[in-house]
Amino acid sequence: DVKVTQSSRYLVKRTGEKVFLECVQDMDHENMFWYRQDPGLGLRLIYFSYDVKMKEKGDIPEGYSVSREKKERFSLILESASTNQTSMYLCASSKEKGLASYEQYFGPGTRLTVT
Amino acid sequence: SQQGEEDPQALSIQEGENATMNCSYKTSINNLQWYRQNSGRGLVHLILIRSNEREKHSGRLRVTLDTSKKSSSLLITASRAADTASYFCATDAGLGDMRFGAGTRLTVKP
C-alpha cells in the first residue's frame, strides 16, 4: 500500500511565524502535490513537483514556497504565516506517465490554525 | 482555478437508494477521476475514466463521461450509511497536475 504521511495532524502557529509542513511518500512516486482545502472552495493546488529539485506553481502559490531535495519528501513553507492561511493542507503523490496523471494518493492532512 | 464543478453541493438519501452526482468542467481533458473524503481525512481515489471511454464500473460505482458536454456523473447504487462522505471530481488536462471541484456532500441515512 502506498503511504503518504504528513508531519502533523494539527498545528497552531502565530502570525508572522515561518511554518514548515512536511510530506513523505514511500512508493517512489515522481509527482508530489500540495493543496489547501477550504469549505465551499474544494481543493486548490498550491504547488506541485514532478522531480527532485523541480517545482511548478499551482493556482494559489502566493505566500508559499516548496522544497524537494529528495524524491520521497516534499515540504511546504509558509514564509510568514497569516490568518488567511488557516486551512486544511493536503499532500498527495502520484507516479508519472508522461504528462497524464495517475491516481493521486493523499496524506491525512494537516489542519493549520494561524492566530 | 477550479476545473470541475460538482452538482448538487449536498445530497441526502435513505440507505438502499441510489445516489447520483454530476461534474462539469471547462477545458479538454485526458482523464477524469472521482475521489471520496470522509470527514476530516485525506481523499481516497475511487475510479478513473479516460477521455476515450464513455462508461466505467467498479463494484457499486458507475461513472459516465460525456466529453462533448464536458460532464461526468458518478452513480452509487444501493447506498449504505458508510457511503456518507464528500465526493470530488478531478480533471487532468495533460499538464502534469489535476484540478478538483468543490465536492458533493452525500449523507446516507440508515
Side-chain angles (χ1 to χ4, degrees):
Chain A
D1 274 357
V2 176
K3 186 167 282 185
V4 180
T5 56
Q6 295 183 229
S7 50
S8 305
R9 288 300 310 274
Y10 300 94
L11 207 53
V12 180
K13 294 291 181 180
R14 293 192 181 277
T15 301
E17 279 193 85
K18 191 168 186 176
V19 181
F20 293 86
L21 302 182
E22 303 284 338
C23 176
V24 177
Q25 49 94 4
D26 67 357
M27 280 299 289
D28 203 35
H29 282 171
E30 289 81 7
N31 299 339
M32 296 188 75
F33 308 83
W34 274 107
Y35 299 89
R36 64 176 283 177
Q37 183 178 21
D38 301 287
L41 296 178
L43 277 73
R44 292 181 291 168
L45 182 64
I46 305 171
Y47 269 98
F48 67 102
S49 168
Y50 50 87
D51 202 353
V52 176
K53 297 191 186 296
M54 304 301 288
K55 61 183 180 183
E56 294 288 340
K57 292 180 180 179
D59 297 321
I60 51 164
E62 296 79 17
Y64 303 94
S65 62
V66 290
S67 171
R68 193 160 180 207
E69 297 297 317
K70 294 184 178 181
K71 190 174 185 179
E72 67 271 19
R73 188 179 298 268
F74 192 35
S75 302
L76 180 69
I77 303 151
L78 285 66
E79 297 291 342
S80 178
S82 64
T83 55
N84 63 13
Q85 292 178 311
T86 291
S87 187
M88 170 73 95
Y89 290 87
L90 293 165
C91 174
S93 72
S94 71
K95 63 179 176 179
E96 178 189 5
K97 186 175 182 182
L99 289 176
S101 296
Y102 272 66
E103 61 187 279
Q104 293 191 0
Y105 294 84
F106 281 81
T110 295
R111 188 166 294 280
L112 173 67
T113 302
V114 182
T115 61
Chain B
S1 60
Q2 283 182 334
Q3 166 73 302
E5 290 187 13
E6 290 89 345
D7 172 60
Q9 291 185 349
L11 181 61
S12 181
I13 59 174
Q14 294 293 136
E15 209 165 26
E17 293 181 342
N18 295 341
T20 299
M21 289 158 268
N22 302 297
C23 171
S24 59
Y25 57 93
K26 298 172 185 173
T27 62
S28 297
I29 60 171
N30 281 350
N31 66 62
L32 184 144
Q33 303 178 35
W34 285 90
Y35 288 78
R36 183 187 73 220
Q37 183 182 37
N38 291 93
S39 181
R41 297 187 178 275
L43 279 71
V44 174
H45 180 263
L46 294 176
I47 196 164
L48 181 154
I49 186 166
R50 302 198 183 280
S51 59
N52 60 354
E53 297 175 311
R54 292 296 168 258
E55 188 171 312
K56 204 161 183 181
H57 297 253
S58 176
R60 293 184 297 113
L61 306 179
R62 172 178 168 251
V63 169
T64 61
L65 179 65
D66 187 335
T67 53
S68 66
K69 294 182 179 178
K70 293 186 168 58
S71 67
S72 173
S73 67
L74 171 67
L75 168 68
I76 304 174
T77 60
S79 62
R80 306 166 182 168
D83 295 327
T84 293
S86 292
Y87 292 82
F88 296 85
C89 69
T91 52
D92 164 30
L95 300 175
D97 59 345
M98 290 201 306
R99 294 293 189 273
F100 287 78
T104 292
R105 175 69 191 167
L106 173 66
T107 301
V108 181
K109 300 175 184 177

